[in-house]
CSV table of all heavy atoms in Angstrom, one decimal:
chain,number,residue,atom,x,y,z
A,987,SER,N,-56.1,-164.3,-72.1
A,987,SER,CA,-56.0,-165.7,-71.9
A,987,SER,C,-55.1,-166.4,-72.9
A,987,SER,O,-54.4,-167.3,-72.5
A,987,SER,CB,-57.5,-166.4,-72.0
A,987,SER,OG,-58.0,-166.0,-73.2
A,991,ILE,N,-51.9,-168.5,-71.5
A,991,ILE,CA,-52.0,-170.0,-71.6
A,991,ILE,C,-51.2,-170.6,-72.7
A,991,ILE,O,-50.5,-171.5,-72.5
A,991,ILE,CB,-53.5,-170.3,-71.8
A,991,ILE,CG1,-54.3,-169.9,-70.6
A,991,ILE,CG2,-53.6,-171.8,-72.0
A,991,ILE,CD1,-55.8,-169.7,-70.9
A,1066,GLN,N,-61.1,-174.8,-81.2
A,1066,GLN,CA,-62.0,-174.5,-80.1
A,1066,GLN,C,-61.6,-175.4,-78.9
A,1066,GLN,O,-61.5,-175.0,-77.7
A,1066,GLN,CB,-63.4,-174.7,-80.4
A,1066,GLN,CG,-64.3,-173.8,-79.6
A,1066,GLN,CD,-65.7,-174.0,-80.1
A,1066,GLN,OE1,-66.0,-174.4,-81.2
A,1066,GLN,NE2,-66.7,-173.6,-79.2
A,1069,VAL,N,-58.3,-174.3,-77.2
A,1069,VAL,CA,-58.5,-173.2,-76.4
A,1069,VAL,C,-59.2,-173.6,-75.0
A,1069,VAL,O,-58.8,-173.2,-74.0
A,1069,VAL,CB,-59.2,-172.0,-77.0
A,1069,VAL,CG1,-59.5,-170.9,-76.1
A,1069,VAL,CG2,-58.4,-171.5,-78.2
A,1070,GLN,N,-60.3,-174.4,-75.2
A,1070,GLN,CA,-61.0,-174.9,-74.0
A,1070,GLN,C,-60.1,-175.7,-73.1
A,1070,GLN,O,-60.0,-175.5,-71.9
A,1070,GLN,CB,-62.1,-175.8,-74.5
A,1070,GLN,CG,-63.0,-176.3,-73.3
A,1070,GLN,CD,-63.7,-175.2,-72.6
A,1070,GLN,OE1,-64.5,-174.4,-73.3
A,1070,GLN,NE2,-63.5,-175.0,-71.3
A,1072,SER,N,-56.9,-175.5,-73.0
A,1072,SER,CA,-55.9,-174.5,-72.4
A,1072,SER,C,-56.4,-173.8,-71.2
A,1072,SER,O,-55.8,-173.5,-70.2
A,1072,SER,CB,-55.3,-173.5,-73.4
A,1072,SER,OG,-56.3,-172.6,-73.8
A,1073,CYS,N,-57.8,-173.4,-71.3
A,1073,CYS,CA,-58.4,-172.7,-70.2
A,1073,CYS,C,-58.6,-173.6,-69.0
A,1073,CYS,O,-58.4,-173.3,-67.9
A,1073,CYS,CB,-59.7,-172.1,-70.8
A,1073,CYS,SG,-59.4,-170.7,-71.9
A,1074,ASP,N,-59.0,-174.8,-69.4
A,1074,ASP,CA,-59.3,-175.8,-68.3
A,1074,ASP,C,-58.0,-175.9,-67.5
A,1074,ASP,O,-57.9,-176.1,-66.3
A,1074,ASP,CB,-59.7,-177.1,-68.8
A,1074,ASP,CG,-61.1,-177.1,-69.5
A,1074,ASP,OD1,-61.8,-176.1,-69.1
A,1074,ASP,OD2,-61.4,-178.0,-70.2
A,1078,ARG,N,-59.7,-171.2,-66.2
A,1078,ARG,CA,-60.2,-169.9,-66.6
A,1078,ARG,C,-61.3,-170.1,-67.7
A,1078,ARG,O,-61.4,-171.1,-68.4
A,1078,ARG,CB,-59.1,-169.0,-67.3
A,1078,ARG,CG,-58.0,-168.8,-66.4
A,1078,ARG,CD,-58.1,-167.4,-65.8
A,1078,ARG,NE,-56.9,-167.2,-65.0
A,1078,ARG,CZ,-56.7,-166.0,-64.3
A,1078,ARG,NH1,-57.6,-165.1,-64.4
A,1078,ARG,NH2,-55.6,-165.8,-63.6
A,1079,VAL,N,-62.1,-169.1,-67.9
A,1079,VAL,CA,-63.1,-169.1,-68.9
A,1079,VAL,C,-62.4,-168.7,-70.2
A,1079,VAL,O,-61.6,-167.8,-70.2
A,1079,VAL,CB,-64.2,-168.0,-68.6
A,1079,VAL,CG1,-65.3,-168.0,-69.7
A,1079,VAL,CG2,-64.9,-168.4,-67.3
A,1080,PRO,N,-62.7,-169.4,-71.3
A,1080,PRO,CA,-62.0,-169.1,-72.5
A,1080,PRO,C,-62.4,-167.8,-73.2
A,1080,PRO,O,-63.5,-167.5,-73.5
A,1080,PRO,CB,-62.4,-170.2,-73.5
A,1080,PRO,CG,-63.6,-170.7,-73.0
A,1080,PRO,CD,-63.6,-170.5,-71.5
A,1081,VAL,N,-61.4,-166.9,-73.2
A,1081,VAL,CA,-61.5,-165.6,-73.9
A,1081,VAL,C,-60.3,-165.4,-74.7
A,1081,VAL,O,-59.2,-165.6,-74.2
A,1081,VAL,CB,-61.7,-164.4,-72.9
A,1081,VAL,CG1,-61.9,-163.1,-73.6
A,1081,VAL,CG2,-62.9,-164.7,-72.0
A,1082,PHE,N,-60.4,-165.0,-76.0
A,1082,PHE,CA,-59.2,-164.8,-76.8
A,1082,PHE,C,-58.4,-163.6,-76.3
A,1082,PHE,O,-57.2,-163.6,-76.3
A,1082,PHE,CB,-59.6,-164.7,-78.3
A,1082,PHE,CG,-59.7,-166.1,-78.9
A,1082,PHE,CD1,-60.7,-166.4,-79.7
A,1082,PHE,CD2,-58.7,-167.1,-78.7
A,1082,PHE,CE1,-60.8,-167.6,-80.3
A,1082,PHE,CE2,-58.8,-168.2,-79.2
A,1082,PHE,CZ,-59.8,-168.6,-80.0
Side-chain angles (χ1 to χ4, degrees):
S987 53
I991 298 159
Q1066 207 175 343
V1069 173
Q1070 183 65 56
S1072 71
C1073 291
D1074 291 346
R1078 302 260 183 179
V1079 177
V1081 180
F1082 274 133

